[in-house]
Amino acid sequence: MRLPLAKYSAGEIAVMLVITGVMGYVLYQMMPVLVILPALLFLFTLYFFRDPYRKIPEGDNLIVSPADGTIIEIADVNEDTFIKEPSVKVAIFLSVFNVHINRAPCDGKITLLDYRKGRFLVASEPEASSQNERNSIGITAGHSLKILVRQIAGIIAQRIVCGLEMNQQVKRGDRIGMIKFGSRTEVYISKNKLERLEVKVNDKVKGGESIIGVYKK
């Protein structure tokens, strides 16, 4: 059976194959049993870039998680990049063991793509939201709902990938990019348009599959 891998991973996997191949050859000459170390490293690379199937929930007005990981923050904020009104922020921390594919939280049109350079603080720290390298993705659903997804690099993750274009239509659960090697993903929802949240701090979520909220019609 084919191992499902992220389409953004070809370069890293090729480089790691060469590195671990050379390491394996050198270690084999020293002590054959040591060849297991580069083999495990290569297998972990494949594991990190996995892209498993997700069952996208059906139903009206659902907002799904844009990433796998742990909910580390839920806060009322004034989001001034895209929504420009009081909003609810849901922050998700991704460890190196989580799937790192990002997915669209709802149906809509891409109406903002805003990449900013920054620092590489630990992604679980609150300061990472405003100071780290980040990419903001604005989705307009219908005539009035705006949802912002923010991809944030971490101390290890130093490459943000976004596979979107302006005015592109996306469906709930569509793959929209990834952040490589540990990171943080946030979703901002207009407070006036949010009917209820379905998650709390410390909840584990799956991108494209876990429902994080319901918006008003």
Side-chain angles (χ1 to χ4, degrees):
M1 184 175 68
R2 175 183 173 271
L3 178 66
L5 296 173
K7 66 179 182 179
Y8 315 106
S9 64
E12 284 82 359
I13 290 175
V15 169
M16 190 58 66
L17 180 60
V18 172
I19 292 173
T20 55
V22 172
M23 288 174 59
Y25 176 79
V26 172
L27 292 173
Y28 184 81
Q29 305 306 312
M30 298 168 56
M31 186 182 296
V33 71
L34 293 179
V35 77
I36 194 172
L37 299 177
L40 290 174
L41 180 59
F42 183 69
L43 289 175
F44 178 76
T45 302
L46 296 180
Y47 173 77
F48 176 84
F49 285 108
R50 67 199 185 280
D51 183 9
Y53 168 79
R54 290 291 160 81
K55 182 175 176 59
I56 312 303
E58 298 180 355
D60 297 331
N61 310 323
L62 300 180
I63 304 167
V64 299
S65 177
D68 287 37
T70 304
I71 304 290
I72 58 172
E73 182 184 4
I74 297 175
D76 292 337
V77 298
N78 288 312
E79 201 295 302
D80 57 5
T81 301
F82 177 65
I83 300 175
K84 298 182 179 179
E85 62 181 55
S87 304
V88 175
K89 175 176 76 170
V90 179
I92 303 161
F93 176 70
L94 295 78
S95 78
V96 293
F97 299 104
N98 289 124
V99 173
H100 275 59
I101 297 294
N102 291 140
R103 293 177 179 267
C106 63
D107 297 353
K109 179 191 286 189
I110 303 302
T111 49
L112 174 76
L113 291 172
D114 181 31
Y115 170 78
R116 302 286 179 94
K117 292 184 178 181
R119 303 171 66 185
F120 295 101
L121 303 175
V122 176
S124 59
E125 296 297 323
E127 294 81 4
S129 180
S130 59
Q131 296 186 31
N132 279 22
E133 180 173 318
R134 58 200 179 275
N135 185 52
S136 298
I137 302 166
I139 303 173
T140 300
H143 297 291
S144 57
L145 177 67
K146 291 183 175 182
I147 293 181
L148 179 72
V149 176
R150 181 163 289 149
Q151 301 170 290
I152 301 170
I155 193 170
I156 300 175
Q158 300 191 8
R159 187 180 176 197
I160 295 172
V161 178
C162 179
L164 298 171
E165 297 179 356
M166 284 292 291
N167 299 315
Q168 179 179 339
Q169 294 285 343
V170 293
K171 293 290 187 181
R172 181 195 308 154
D174 282 354
R175 297 168 180 82
I176 59 175
M178 77 179 298
I179 318 170
K180 299 182 178 181
F181 300 110
S183 52
R184 176 185 180 114
T185 302
E186 298 175 344
V187 59
Y188 296 77
I189 310 154
S190 169
K191 195 169 183 179
N192 290 331
K193 299 296 182 181
L194 182 64
E195 183 170 308
R196 67 180 184 274
L197 280 179
E198 297 285 354
V199 292
K200 61 184 182 301
V201 172
N202 294 323
D203 279 358
K204 306 293 184 182
V205 291
K206 288 186 176 182
E209 192 168 293
S210 299
I211 299 170
I212 63 171
V214 179
Y215 63 87
K216 299 175 183 177
K217 294 182 179 180

